[in-house]
Amino acid sequence: MKTKISVYTDGATLGQNKIGVTEFVGLGVYFPHLGRGMCKKVEGISNNEAELKALHYAMKLCVQNNFTDVEFFCDSWITVNRACGNKPKMRKYQNDRMDALQDNILNESKNFKSCTFKWVPREM
């Protein structure tokens, strides 16, 4: 019997210009069953884009490591909803870049036997 793998993701940003794009962005992924995490530096995206990119990065790492049953935990409600295929109703969360990232996540999810997304409040 295969065990479902838990994976935690987060996008971290520092500083922000007037249009919401951050200069310093980190994508974080943590694998509790391995006791290790991975991170990646990117630039020039918003905090919400960073959250989506962190999830997509985690999904690619899982595929590379042949994890087929995965439960992803994110502290971004927007990310979890987009990963489940929902488009946000609030105008400030609607844009082509976020839609493209959502499409990447939905396409990547096809590589899993089982793949779920759960929201974890930031304070937890």
Side-chain angles (χ1 to χ4, degrees):
M1 180 173 116
K2 288 202 170 196
T3 305
K4 186 172 267 203
I5 303 298
S6 295
V7 179
Y8 293 80
T9 70
D10 199 10
T13 58
L14 178 64
Q16 198 170 59
N17 66 17
K18 292 179 183 177
I19 60 169
V21 174
T22 53
E23 185 175 347
F24 304 102
V25 182
L27 310 179
V29 179
Y30 180 65
F31 298 93
H33 72 287
L34 298 175
R36 63 185 274 232
M38 306 196 52
C39 60
K40 180 178 180 179
K41 183 181 175 189
V42 295
E43 296 178 0
I45 59 176
S46 72
N47 60 328
N48 288 317
E49 289 170 302
E51 296 284 354
L52 284 165
K53 276 192 173 272
L55 175 58
H56 189 238
Y57 176 49
M59 293 174 87
K60 285 180 168 258
L61 290 171
C62 288
V63 169
Q64 289 170 6
N65 287 284
N66 298 314
F67 300 148
T68 59
D69 297 302
V70 185
E71 190 169 40
F72 294 97
F73 293 89
C74 311
D75 68 355
S76 166
W77 180 84
I78 294 165
T79 296
V80 170
N81 274 288
R82 279 192 174 262
C84 291
N86 301 316
K87 297 266 185 185
K89 293 180 180 160
M90 293 178 66
R91 182 161 166 70
K92 73 178 187 175
Y93 299 121
Q94 299 172 354
N95 68 56
D96 292 339
R97 291 187 327 258
M98 296 276 285
D99 289 347
L101 291 168
Q102 179 179 15
D103 291 343
N104 290 341
I105 288 167
L106 294 173
N107 285 330
E108 197 71 44
S109 68
K110 295 174 186 173
N111 293 316
F112 298 94
K113 185 174 121 187
S114 170
C115 169
T116 58
F117 307 96
K118 298 205 174 172
W119 176 63
V120 178
R122 282 187 177 93
E123 55 275 1
M124 295 180 76

